[in-house]
Amino acid sequence: MKRIIQQRLLGAIPLIIGITFLSFLIMHAAPGDPTAMMMDPSVTAQDMAQIRQNLGMDKPIILQYFYWIKEVLKGNLGYSYTTGQPVLSTILARLPATLILSLSSLACILLITLPLGLWSGWRAGSTFDRAVTIFSFIGFAVPTFWLGLMLILSLSLKLGLFPSSGYMDPFLYGASWWQQSGSVLSHLALPLLTIIIGEIAGLTRYYRGGVIAILKSDYILAARARGIGDKRLLFRHAFKNAVLPVITLLGLGLPGLISGSFVIEYIFAWPGMGQLGVAAVFSRDYPVLMGTLLLSSVLIVMGNLFADVSYAAIDPRTEN
Amino acid sequence: MQQLIHVLKTDKFALASVIFLALLAVLGLLVPLVPGLDPNYFNPNLLLEPAAPNWQHWFGTDDLNRDILLRAIYGGRISLLVGLMSISISVSVGTLYGLVAGYRGGMMDQWMMRFVDVMLAIPSIFLILSLQIILGPNMVTVVLVIGFTSWMGIARLVRAEVLSIKSRPFVVAAKARGIGTLSLLGKYILPHAISPVIVAATLGVGGAILAESVLSFLGLGVQPPHASWGNMLENSLAFMGQAPWMSIVPGVLITLTVLAFNFLGDAIQKVIGR
Amino acid sequence: MIKRFLLIALCCILGACSGPDGAKPSSNKNVLTLNMGGEPTYLNPLLYTDSPSSTVVGLVFRGLMKVNQNLDMVPDLASSYFISQDGLTYTFNLRRGVKWHDGEDFTADDVVFTFKTLLDPSTNTVRRSSYMINGNPIDVKKRDENTIIITLPEPFAPFLVSMGMGILPEHVLNGKDINTDSFNRAPIGTGPFKFVRWESNQYVMLEKNELYYGKPPKLDSILLKIIPDKNTALVALEKSEIDLEDGLLPKDYERVSTNRNLWTYRHQEMAYTYMGFNLQHPLLGEKKIREAISYALNRDAMVKSVLGEFGQPAYMPASPVQWSWPGKSSVTIYEYAPEKTMAILEELGYRRSTATGLYYNGQGELAFTLVTNKGNKNREKAAQIIQQSLKQVGIKVTIELLEWSAFIKRLNQSTGPRGLEAYIIGWSLGIDPDAYSIWHSSQYPTGFNYIGDRNSTVDSLLEEGRTETNKVKRKGIYRQIYQEITEDIPYYFLYHADVIGASHTYVGGLMKNPGPLGVIDDIEDVYLKPTLMR
């Protein structure tokens, strides 16, 4: 176990350097720079050049990258080009909303897809199975931004069930934890619903396929022959198998958790990292973008590590 | 093939999907042959506003007075083309990459897979956005960007298949007979590794069509005056209250098409899975 | 079934949390809620360049001077000012007893500090050039605690306008790095509202400044929300999640104006949108070609289609609300006459192909690329109408929509004969008509004269216009400039779009007939009617 962790952590260094360097090159290849946001007829070219120089953008890209790495190693992620604020605090400010949305959607998806998938697989070909297939596929097929807007128009404007957008009622600042969570939950409803509808299909299909495979397996056939009730067997077996994709999801899904669902955050004015990152791409705010990517690559490494360690713990054979 | 026909006979959804996609393709190919139908035509001297569905325009017009049905047919050509082309790229790149990595193995494989890790680790929206900004938006770049940011999954899939196939007796035997690497890969390994790729590709077409619509939502999709379902839907959002008909046709068509590719992928999987 | 049940259950659980009747937790305060549309950048009058920040800065900070509804500059933190005979020395007497939001006294040192910081090259500001006249900085000195003397290197007519910039507190910022200090996220000013809190990508909360030197504000707080999506913002307005929304699209007008809870307003904006031609380009550099293009465009119909009733055609590089506006009849207008286009093209030796319907000559088809930024629906629509109109007279236009940063990069870098051919963009105009940086030939290739206009008459008139201080004489100078420019068609002027907005009827103290500065004249006067106070 110790060896796996050591190996993985060593392997992480080139991975993180690779991710950040590649993205650094790609971001800088995009035409335009942060000063494009400062367009105004009263600005002179000299002022723009001065600002570029102040921001260190007149240096060669490779040098800029090494400078960035050097500062990161000292624990300094730099300052945003668009707000002048430290990148670290900018990112940290977005973290709670991002985590709430992504973790709650992950939890809901797991809770919904597990029974749906198991039951569909168990009764493959039944009306129930077909209905689940069709509805989950439709959910996947509807463009997210269209769905989101329609949910706002129907559930928020027409029925008044939820607020249209935002994160927490500003007047609850300083209110009790209980009241604040309530407010966050009601704002969370629509974006969460939009994500769930879109992503139910994937895992449901996965579980369904798993159950069908198990039902055909020698193991179950043998158990049946011995006269053991297959329902009990199936569910024990299936639940055990269900743990693995959760681990994989948590491991591999982490970059997705960070970049978040930009479209959803934008439509519902949800203050997450997706909006931060995309705004940074559009305004060429390289420090913020690199900070976001650094965080996501660190999370990926940690996620992979977590997945490997858990696999090893569950099934010792994978250690080789 | 026979199995496929059999599945189509029993699986009504797959059959409906094939018919629906065929209909789109036929309309997309035939309608442009009809003279005098220009999806981009409008009279600039008129007051240009969206018009509700009527006898002349069955599904209404958009904000430039252009017929929505006609644009949807032309847009379908582009959306389908974007979906198919970008998946062709991602399948070719991914398959080739996976074949080489899996077959060569060793350090080469290690390095190639680390690069896949790097590509997968960069959140795809940042990658797609930056590339699209670098290349500038038009249909070709949409295809390239979607294609070159979605091959990694297929590469992993193919590599895993190749790893398991290359130690099988028939491959070892062929190798012993001194068959060249290229024909070994092409004749012995690829045919056995390709089935999961076909399923992934079919499902991927739907994903690529959705990706085009998201690019359009961000303003980086197919450029006007040319229609794609993505840019029609994006343009319609601003008119949701005033002219809801503008969003229904492209929205429903995207949904149905992606749905059809999913059903098709499902059916193919059934055939291959046996 | 299970899925539906789960969804319904989820809705119930989440719905229950929002309170029994879905009402927002009420505070008994008088709070006005607005939408800024985006995350602010710097809450610092020297550093911001975006409109959300400008909204906040305008409420928190005050400058020596301010603009009134007649678009005149009047004293604000200054109580009076005096200009020397030669137009070089400005003396500002400062208002006494003004306090910063933290309770400290406002003094002449703050003013000196603000301009010293502004002129320091290490400050990342785009405003420096307004305080440098032909490369020489202004000189700001304190005579005593309540008097500031500013000396200009040479007379400069637009100078007073730039004295509207907010003043920074020296006691807070002295010795700090202005570019990165946390002040930019938690500012201290002298304005009617003081900063309370900024929750990233959610809102900025301001509250009444009890120490304000002017009329005491009627509102207790202002909540500035950040809702980027326009459709969502409209729903938020209809649901009273925001009280007032500026910048609605023309197509939304009908929807809000039929809502009995909303009061809809509109006002002119000091800006114009145009199609610029690259004058260094071999094709578009030819005036006859630009003339042919102009004759083919039906400006009135286009503006109607793009803006409906909410805008007017533009004919010159000035807005009807500016004092320098000479009237439509004083400038050259190439009215819609497509037959003239074809006559000109035939005369230039172009022939029309029967196969493609396009004009061509020895060098190929008559075609150019029109670039604009993606996301501005009005410009996208105008570009497509231009494309279609020109197609009908045999000119091929290819549209390219670029994302903003890339677009600006192209404008800045692709000058010269092989650069951008034509593009659509807008200029927002200042209170002063000086447009040196847009038209003077020294502003090409680096500067805002993207099109490479080189007109020596315009050059000398522009130089004269900014040093002449007599308003009547200046008006004559600018009329000449507009005549020269419209005659030569470096730009095809498109439209002046109106700003459309709506507010809930319970918001009081707004302008009945808003001018170009917007619906809020004095924020101090705005209040919420008591029955609907939240």
Side-chain angles (χ1 to χ4, degrees), chain C residues 259-310:
Chain C
N259 185 330
R260 277 186 304 130
N261 298 322
L262 296 175
W263 171 70
T264 320
Y265 62 86
R266 57 192 278 194
H267 61 81
Q268 290 179 307
E269 199 181 26
M270 281 200 289
Y272 63 87
T273 299
Y274 66 93
M275 169 166 60
F277 301 109
N278 179 355
L279 301 184
Q280 307 297 319
H281 187 268
L283 178 71
L284 295 170
E286 224 176 301
K287 190 193 159 193
K288 276 282 172 195
I289 293 285
R290 300 198 299 273
E291 212 177 307
I293 292 171
S294 308
Y295 282 132
L297 299 176
N298 186 344
R299 190 189 270 113
D300 291 342
M302 185 184 342
V303 174
K304 271 264 161 3
S305 288
V306 173
L307 299 171
E309 302 299 316
F310 305 98

Side-chain angles (χ1 to χ4, degrees), chain A residues 14-249:
Chain A
L15 185 67
I16 290 177
I17 290 183
I19 294 168
T20 51
F21 186 62
L22 186 66
S23 20
F24 201 81
L25 288 186
I26 294 175
M27 310 305 162
H28 280 267
D33 65 47
T35 51
M37 290 294 144
M38 308 173 179
M39 275 285 298
D40 187 304
S42 63
V43 186
T44 62
Q46 292 94 301
D47 284 346
M48 295 281 214
Q50 180 71 53
I51 293 173
R52 278 190 203 107
Q53 197 187 328
N54 292 353
L55 296 176
M57 287 188 300
D58 51 343
K59 306 257 178 353
I61 286 176
I62 301 288
L63 270 183
Q64 288 186 44
Y65 179 74
F66 280 119
Y67 181 72
W68 180 79
I69 282 279
K70 201 180 97 195
E71 290 299 307
V72 168
L73 290 176
K74 284 194 258 169
N76 174 15
L77 287 182
Y79 296 90
S80 161
Y81 285 171
T82 43
T83 65
Q85 295 303 303
V87 169
L88 190 63
S89 64
T90 307
I91 289 177
L92 288 181
R94 304 299 181 94
L95 218 47
T98 308
L99 290 180
I100 288 175
L101 184 61
S102 48
L103 292 179
S104 63
S105 57
L106 191 64
C108 287
I109 287 167
L110 285 174
L111 283 177
I112 295 171
T113 55
L114 191 60
L116 276 188
L118 294 186
W119 198 255
S120 314
W122 177 247
R123 290 276 174 260
S126 67
T127 319
F128 174 80
D129 177 34
R130 280 164 175 273
V132 168
T133 306
I134 296 172
F135 281 114
S136 60
F137 275 180
I138 290 180
F140 171 77
V142 183
T144 320
F145 55 94
W146 195 44
L147 178 68
L149 198 53
M150 289 197 300
L151 287 179
I152 291 181
L153 290 176
S154 55
L155 297 185
S156 177
L157 184 62
K158 286 265 153 37
L159 297 178
L161 287 177
F162 306 108
S164 64
S165 58
Y167 175 65
M168 189 176 84
D169 192 314
F171 301 106
L172 287 178
Y173 186 84
S176 72
W177 184 85
W178 185 242
Q179 275 180 304
Q180 290 191 347
S181 332
S183 173
V184 171
L185 273 181
S186 71
H187 284 88
L188 177 67
L190 289 184
L192 185 59
L193 196 59
T194 315
I195 295 183
I196 292 175
I197 291 178
E199 295 192 353
I200 250 179
L203 267 186
T204 307
R205 301 302 288 170
Y206 181 88
Y207 290 132
R208 180 181 176 275
V211 171
I212 292 175
I214 294 167
L215 282 177
K216 285 183 187 162
S217 69
D218 302 342
Y219 172 68
I220 290 272
L221 292 179
R224 271 187 187 161
R226 286 205 309 276
I228 302 177
D230 25 308
K231 213 182 248 176
R232 220 182 73 219
L233 251 181
L234 168 73
F235 283 109
R236 202 165 46 179
H237 206 88
F239 268 113
K240 202 172 138 197
N241 280 334
V243 182
L244 294 179
V246 175
I247 293 170
T248 317
L249 254 183

Side-chain angles (χ1 to χ4, degrees), chain C residues 421-457:
Chain C
E421 299 179 333
Y423 61 91
I424 299 179
I425 199 174
W427 285 125
S428 55
L429 301 161
I431 291 163
D432 193 272
D434 177 41
Y436 182 88
S437 59
I438 299 177
W439 298 106
H440 198 271
S441 55
S442 66
Q443 305 298 309
Y444 177 85
T446 49
F448 292 102
N449 186 354
Y450 297 126
I451 54 170
D453 192 23
R454 288 179 168 146
N455 184 327
S456 52
T457 321

Side-chain angles (χ1 to χ4, degrees), chain B residues 38 40-42 44-48 63-64 66 133 137 219 223-225 234-235 237-239 241-242, chain C residues 231 251-252 255 298 301 304-305 336 374 377 381 384-385 387-389 391-392 399-403 406:
Chain B
D38 178 359
N40 301 330
Y41 175 79
F42 63 90
N45 292 320
L46 297 178
L47 180 61
L48 304 168
D63 56 321
L64 283 170
R66 299 175 297 199
I133 288 168
Q223 299 292 291
E234 187 273 331
N235 190 40
L237 291 185
F239 298 87
Q242 184 198 357
Chain C
N231 292 301
K251 54 159 195 74
D252 296 327
R255 177 163 156 195
N298 186 344
K304 271 264 161 3
S305 288
Y336 176 60
K374 180 70 198 183
K377 285 281 161 215
K381 196 166 174 179
Q384 293 193 61
I385 294 176
Q387 181 183 45
Q388 181 72 11
S389 307
K391 188 181 170 191
Q392 292 186 346
I399 297 177
E400 223 180 298
L401 300 181
L402 296 176
E403 166 272 328

